[in-house]
Amino acid sequence: MPCMLIDPSQKYKPYTPLKLDDRQWPTKTFSKPPIWLSTDLRDGNQALANPMTADQKLTFFRLLVKCNFKEIEIAYPAASDTDFSFVRYLIENGEIPDDVWIQVLTPAREDLIRRTFEAVAGAKHVIIHMYNATCPMFRNVVFRNSKEQTVALAVKHTEIVRKLTDEYSASHGMKFRYEYSPETFSQTEIGFSVEICDAVKTAWGKASTGIDRIIFNLPATVEIAPPNHYADQIEYFCAHITEREKIIVSLHPHNDRGTGIAAAELGVLGGADRIEGCLFGNGERTGNVDLVNLALNLYTQGIAPKLDFSDIQSIIDIVTQCNDLPVHPRHPYAGDLVFTAFSGSHQDAIKKGFEEQVGRHADNLTKGEAQIWDMPYLPLDPADLGCSYEAVIRVNSQSGKGGIAYLVKQHLQLDLPRKMQIAFYQVIQAISDKEAREMTVEDITTAFRKTYHFGANYHGRLTLKSFRVTQEPSPNPSNGVTTPDERRRFDGTISVDGVLRVIRGDGNGPISALLDALHTHLDIDMTLREYTEHTIGEGQNAKAASYIELVATTPEIKDTRRAAQSWWGVGLDSDIAGSGLRAVLSAVNSAIGDRVLPELKLNVGFNSSTGQAEIADAIINSLALQLPRRLQASFFEAVQRAARESEGNITYEALTNLFQTTYGYEIEDKGRFYIQSFKLEHIGDTGRRLFTGEMIIDGESRKVAGEGNGPLSAGLAALHSQIQGTLACREYAEHSVGEGADVKAVSFVELIYEMEGETKKEVAWGVGSDTDITSSGLKAVLRAASRIPSVKGRA
């Protein structure tokens, strides 16, 4: 069975290091980016199991241009008709910007060189890239050439390239540059590499400074030594090649040892000017050097790489689509997980880092200083690559409270107190352990909403509907103080298991008053242990977020404060008091579970403390209606009559239903008189109004008309034409309820009914609502008329 050797030195030879007496590269640093060349469309493409189609190559070329590459190796045009045609398409369709140099590869063979020139005819800026292998293995085994023959081959074909560049420049007005690669440079004797390149430079004869420098590309065709050895080779080459100022030294590292990035960076420190590679490291075997990685390494050192990866995800999408190769989740800068922390300690550090940086950057801004990125575990700001912070912290069973709190803050804008972080962390850990998987942001925010009944779709058993908090003087002034302490009274409507209930309580503030109300009416006895709050947003859109910890009340205050079990709640409201009250109910919902709650009742019997004002408050809280004082008295009498049947007790739900049925407020039964349709018109310049329409009177549809000084009197006149006796409006009031698009008018009307020849007068109230205030008033009139039994219709 095959296995690794105990002594691999019997099979493999180590590399031979160079002896450099005075290495310079170890003490050098980066100050500018190299010249970049993308070889995705040539070297990268030839390494694909399924080479790119013409359409994919075009898409990829456009991407490289968008990323700001100025030198792009587009093809080996003599290798196939597909590559040849692609080169022609780019040229003939004007796809190549004027500031971009295309590069084409050819071996040292005359027929293939000529075919290559045919492919690029008419292009403005072309780099002809010729190569031949130079290392002993290729010289002695593959080609069986001596050193002299290898040099002669390179020189001869360089002269051919020179001749053709002269011809095509003259005939097509083209600008050429020349690149020569001693293929397998990293395995070639370094002295011989210098020798053959000097010979090629002489044969080319056109090397000059600036843009006319000859390019010597020195590939680590196969990476066979550590990156420091490659740096030594580059430094030696740069020190010994003649006319260094007329040469661009280019690197073409592969990644066989997994050190292609390091080899490229050290090679630049060794003196190189240029790097050839691919996006995300595609290429033969383990790939070419990754140009994205190299460029962003410079970027994190404050050096502009002159390549643009601002939208890295779209770049990944195109590259993976064209190459049919994934980007590894741990790939530097580009992988799904590289800006991600699962570890609790990492998450906590990142959370604190973000919080500290906000303050530091604000201070930098006021001082006119640079806002330097300095973050635990994140050498680069994901936002610079078009990535959001959403994926920075991801949660699994290894995560901690800090990371979870960070996600809640990012997605719900809630900055949880530390103790609440611990409580919610336990919730998420339980879910993660049970399901044995990573928790998504949606998982976490949904769990938060469910746990704390936070948001419109996550109501608990108790929900705040409306409330008033008023100041009340303390009934028992203490310490001889003549001015009593101000206390707060809570009057509110809450939904209890879907049923609206009105509760009242007193306390030192809104929260204690609500806790008192819950204790008095629902037998929920809890004490506040911790309260914090902060603001979300600014200006008119600002809201208060409140966090409350409740514990069960015990006879001893010390025991209450030290209780091991507690319940947290969170509330959000534009009103700070409302925020705290909602937080109380959030915590209470968790505390009560599914226990049975007592039914809420009012006592309105003899010697009862519940009076007219309390009944009116109940209607304010349950229906948001502010009753006129005379209507308050009328309804109180109706409540007293109804309560006699139940020994003076009436539930809040029954109280609300009684009001609606008594006065016809928003119920299905429309009464004896109601309007089907109507129209109001002005009568000349008199200011009077004409009412015409269709009314249902005792189940019969009748067309009616009437005149009056206003809509109500005109509507009454129309009704008078259909009844015996007269109706007069004794009192009218109205106000609006709701907000925004849901606002509507509510009208209260008291009518007096008289029959001719009779001294008895009858009185009745009616309540109407509508989005139109006129309709609201008319409905109230007809509701009141329907409540007077003696009103008789005309035959």
Side-chain angles (χ1 to χ4, degrees), residues 1 13 19 27 102 124 155 168 171 249 277 332 384-385 388 413 457 501 518 548 592 643-644 647 703 714:
M1 181 177 179
K13 291 194 304 181
K19 292 183 179 181
T27 59
I102 58 169
K124 292 184 179 179
V155 167
Y168 275 77
S171 61
V249 174
D384 290 354
L385 303 184
S388 69
Q413 289 75 55
N457 298 322
R501 298 187 178 186
L518 294 172
I548 279 179
I592 62 175
R644 292 193 193 106
E647 299 180 351
K703 295 187 180 300

Side-chain angles (χ1 to χ4, degrees), residues 40 42-51 282-285 287-288 325:
D40 288 272
R42 198 278 302 170
D43 201 345
N45 187 52
Q46 75 182 32
L48 298 175
N50 298 303
N282 180 37
E284 298 283 8
R285 303 177 309 282
N288 292 284
L325 291 173

